[in-house]
Amino acid sequence: MEIVIAGYEIVLKVFTRESNRKNWAKTQNNLGIVYNNRIRGDRAENLENAIATYHLALEVHTKKDLPTDWEKTQNNLGIVYNNRIRGDRAENLENSIAAYHLALEVITKKDLPTDWATTQNNLGIVYFNRMGSG
C-alpha cells in the first residue's frame, strides 16, 4: 500500500487537475480506496485522508458530466463514512446513507444489477449499524 500511495502521489504531479481532469479525479478516487484499506499508520487518519481524496474527486466526477465515476465515488464515500472513527458516529452513518442514496440515483437494477445489489447490500449494513448505535 505504501508503494501504491507513493505512486499515486507521483501520478498526481503529472496529471494535475488543470492538465488532465479525468485522470486526476480517477487517481484521487483510487488513492481514497488505498487509504481506506491501508494497514500502516493511524487508522482514523487514513480514513480522513480517504474522505478528503473522495471529495476532491467529486469536484470533477460530477453527476452531470461523469455519472458512472460520480456514482462509484459516492459508493466509496458510503463505505468510508460507515467505517469512520472520528466525528459523531450517528452523523457518520447518516453521511454514509446519504452517499449510497446519491449513488442509487445513477445505478439502476435494470442497467447495473450487480452494482445496484452491492449498493443496496451496503446500505442495509449501514442501516443495521445505525440501529445498533442508537
Side-chain angles (χ1 to χ4, degrees), residues 20-133:
N20 195 323
R21 293 174 56 81
K22 286 175 86 173
N23 282 332
W24 177 85
K26 191 170 287 285
T27 302
Q28 292 289 357
N29 184 66
N30 291 343
L31 188 56
I33 293 168
V34 173
Y35 276 122
N36 187 44
N37 295 314
R38 188 179 190 199
I39 297 168
R40 289 196 176 161
D42 179 65
R43 177 75 175 138
E45 186 64 29
N46 288 333
L47 295 174
E48 296 306 308
N49 287 334
I51 290 168
T53 61
Y54 291 143
H55 281 289
L56 287 171
L58 286 171
E59 292 175 10
V60 174
H61 288 170
T62 63
K63 182 180 175 184
K64 178 184 173 198
D65 295 332
L66 298 164
T68 303
D69 293 329
W70 178 82
E71 162 272 306
K72 289 178 183 174
T73 304
Q74 291 293 349
N75 255 307
N76 291 338
L77 265 176
I79 293 166
V80 76
Y81 274 118
N82 185 45
N83 296 329
R84 190 177 191 198
I85 297 166
R86 292 186 183 158
D88 179 70
R89 179 70 176 146
E91 184 178 330
N92 290 334
L93 294 175
E94 294 306 315
N95 286 334
S96 178
I97 290 167
Y100 287 132
H101 279 289
L102 287 171
L104 287 168
E105 291 177 9
V106 173
I107 301 169
T108 64
K109 184 177 182 180
K110 179 183 175 195
D111 295 333
L112 298 164
T114 303
D115 291 346
W116 180 85
T118 300
T119 302
Q120 292 289 354
N121 182 67
N122 290 345
L123 188 55
I125 291 168
V126 179
Y127 279 127
F128 180 81
N129 289 340
R130 187 170 77 169
M131 286 183 352
S133 69

